[in-house]
Amino acid sequence: MIYIACGSIIMVVGLLWLISPPKRPRPFYSYYSYLAQVNKASFKFAQHKASYYFIIFGLIQLVLGIGIHLLKWDRYFLLWLLTFYLFIIFPIMATEKSLKSFLQKRHELPADYIDPDKVKKERTKGFRDRK
C-alpha cells in the first residue's frame, strides 16, 4: 500500500507541475535545485523534465504497488518500506542529469559547479578529511 500511496502522490505532483508550472523558483512548489536556478531557460527546462520524470516514476511505482497488492505480497511491508524512497530519488537524479547536459550544450554550466559523482576525498590521519 505504501507504493500505491507514494506513487500516487509523486504522479500528482508531476501532473500539477505539468498543468500549472510555477513561474519562478520556490522551495515549496517548484523543482528547486542549484542548476535549475542558473537562468530562466534552465528553470523552465527543469520544470518540464521534472514533471515528466515524476509522472513516469510515479506511474511505475503505482503499477508496482497494484501488482504487489494483487499478488498478496503486502506482508513484506518492511521490504517495501525500505525501497519506496528510491522512486523519490530516481526522478530527481534523472532531472539533474538532463539539466546538466542541457546547460553543458548551451555552455551555461556554472564555473563553480562540482559534479557530485566526481567528488573524491582523501583520508588523512586525524578526524578531518581533506577536500
Side-chain angles (χ1 to χ4, degrees), residues 17 22 25-26 29-33 36-37 43 46-47 50 54 91-93 95-96 99:
W17 284 350
R26 293 183 192 162
Y29 183 71
S30 69
Y31 183 79
Y32 196 75
S33 75
Q37 297 177 32
F43 178 70
Q47 284 303 129
F54 271 58
I92 295 170
M93 286 176 24
T95 303
E96 284 296 311
L99 191 54

Side-chain angles (χ1 to χ4, degrees), residues 8-20:
S8 299
I9 291 169
I10 291 172
M11 202 168 63
V12 166
V13 168
L15 286 171
L16 283 174
W17 284 350
L18 186 65
I19 293 169
S20 175

Side-chain angles (χ1 to χ4, degrees), residues 33-39 42 95-116 118:
S33 75
Y34 175 67
L35 291 180
Q37 297 177 32
V38 171
N39 55 32
S42 68
T95 303
E96 284 296 311
K97 287 194 184 286
S98 298
L99 191 54
K100 180 184 168 195
S101 66
F102 172 77
L103 289 172
Q104 279 179 335
K105 287 178 188 172
R106 295 175 54 133
H107 304 290
E108 295 177 348
L109 194 66
D112 61 344
Y113 176 72
I114 299 171
D115 192 4
K118 295 182 181 175

Side-chain angles (χ1 to χ4, degrees), residues 20-78:
S20 175
K23 305 294 183 224
R24 60 183 185 273
R26 293 183 192 162
F28 185 70
Y29 183 71
S30 69
Y31 183 79
Y32 196 75
S33 75
Y34 175 67
L35 291 180
Q37 297 177 32
V38 171
N39 55 32
K40 285 186 178 187
S42 68
F43 178 70
K44 281 190 168 189
F45 181 81
Q47 284 303 129
H48 182 72
K49 283 291 185 177
S51 68
Y52 282 121
Y53 286 134
F54 271 58
I55 291 169
I56 290 168
F57 284 103
L59 188 63
I60 291 170
Q61 190 173 18
L62 181 65
V63 169
L64 279 173
I66 292 170
I68 288 167
H69 186 68
L70 291 177
L71 293 172
K72 308 250 190 280
W73 289 352
D74 292 332
R75 63 180 172 265
Y76 303 116
F77 180 74
L78 188 59

